[in-house]
Amino acid sequence: MAVAANTVLEGTRTLALPGFALPVALLLPFLALSRERGDALYQAIPGFLDWGHTATYAFAAIFVLLFGCASAAFEVRDRQVWSVVTKPVSGGGWLLGKWLGTFVLGMTIVVGGSLLLGTGAAYLASQRPIDERDARDVRDSILVGRVGILPEYLQIPAEELRAAIDAEIESDGVLRADLANGLRDEGEVRKAIAARKRKEFLDSQRRIGPGESREFTFRGLRGAVQGGRKVALRYRFHGGGDDEHMRFPAMIQYTTGKDAGSWELREWVPGEPYTLTLQPRFVDPDGTLRVRIFSAGFDEAAQQPVPGTVTMFMTDDSLEVMVEDSTFAGNLASAVAVDACKVAFLSALAVCSGALLSFPIAVLLAFGVFALATLAPFLATSLPNYDPDQKSGLLIWAFQNAVLGIATAVEYLLRGFAARSPSDALAQGRSITWQALWAAVSGIGVLWTGGVLALGWLCVRRKEMAVYSGNS
């Protein structure tokens, strides 16, 4: 504890902590006050939460990486550690104290920024909304923690998929020639065609032509309805070139529950998200909700539907049922807990790097791991498109496979770091569930942090931290 207390005093007296905390204290109020008159609160508050949390976490992460590396590396370089690593304090105890002090300093930025984040969100929510829908969306969709339920989609049958692959190969003479001459691998070709056919089959279920309709099924709503929690349908349609100046009609019909057959007429702007509150009477007793969406309007004079003018289509997250799961305060506290796990890991990484390496090398290592962990989702997206070229020669093909293997291993080991990002959850009003919180605590907070500290302790034991230079 003495080493941790001295580390905290070091971070405060050298103005390292104030140097990183002050920008956060200035930036968040500026973001909250920068809303222009006439801007919808439904758009202003998510932007503030996203940018505010990202800035808070970024400053905390950069601080612990730089300060942790510097504090440990400079103590070893200047031989100040000689007066510490003696019988009362072991090398492992010194390492643990440096980590704990660095972690406390980093969490000071996180907690302070989170308090400003909550205060700024409350201030924006107290401003006058542009209309009733704006106020309702902020109350029910942003300042809350919700869990999303996606609709069920059919998968293309195996026999139909196999027949489609064979038909495409048979119809492409150039492809058949390449396969016959050994220029292309048949297994890879069939795999690529299968992936494309699956996507096309899935996309066809998300497309609604003019005057057509499609039914979507959601399950697992029984507990939410019985518990009296708020349930809403969130949708975002695309079409018409995604021209934000255009408006199109859509009819939404409920085909389950006590009021099966009832419908609502809605207008939508391409690419703009909407939220529709769902009543319990639309849900079956087993928790099933079915919604039929028409690309059509309604002629009041003729009392009949009128086909729409565009084809509506949706992406994989454009349609979902949102169930209230927690409050905004609880969600913000969960975000702080996730950030604490990440700061703990980065503190351990920085301190152990600084204790074993010189300051420049320690900073390169720590920031390198941090960058790889942060960019793991982009790596996961690009890996399926990286295909070693067998025609380029054995040496180049082997090198490309080695690169693919290393990138796959890095993505697998570090995918959990960036996958648990509270910024998106806070901005979209999505609940950070207990399962996600437990995964962050057990994975990043315990296994990753404990593993780095254990590795650092094993290396510190073998490193000569102090020598006796007196006269006998």
Side-chain angles (χ1 to χ4, degrees), residues 89-151:
V89 180
S90 63
W94 172 80
L95 193 69
L96 188 63
K98 299 297 290 185
W99 166 76
L100 182 58
T102 304
F103 171 69
V104 170
L105 290 172
M107 284 307 298
T108 302
I109 300 177
V110 171
V111 173
S114 299
L115 291 175
L116 289 175
L117 203 63
T119 304
Y123 165 76
L124 288 173
S126 67
Q127 301 302 298
R128 178 178 297 178
I130 60 175
D131 53 27
E132 182 181 351
R133 178 200 165 191
D134 189 27
R136 182 181 67 251
D137 287 343
V138 169
R139 182 181 63 252
D140 297 337
S141 304
I142 301 301
L143 298 183
V144 69
R146 305 174 300 166
V147 176
I149 300 177
L150 296 174

Side-chain angles (χ1 to χ4, degrees), residues 203-209 212 214 311-314:
D203 289 343
S204 67
Q205 300 176 67
R206 300 176 178 148
R207 188 181 300 110
I208 307 174
E212 298 177 354
R214 191 169 296 276
T311 296
M312 304 163 53
F313 63 93
M314 293 159 275

Side-chain angles (χ1 to χ4, degrees), residues 407-465:
T408 302
V410 169
E411 189 276 331
Y412 176 78
L413 292 173
L414 300 178
R415 67 174 58 166
F417 190 87
R420 298 172 180 89
S421 175
S423 296
D424 293 338
L426 291 174
Q428 298 177 14
R430 295 182 181 273
S431 176
I432 301 175
T433 62
W434 286 105
Q435 293 83 352
L437 190 58
W438 169 248
V441 171
S442 60
I444 302 175
V446 177
L447 292 180
W448 289 21
T449 304
V452 171
L453 288 174
L455 181 62
W457 172 69
L458 291 175
C459 295
V460 163
R461 288 183 62 190
R462 294 180 173 273
K463 183 174 181 178
E464 189 178 86
M465 301 294 290

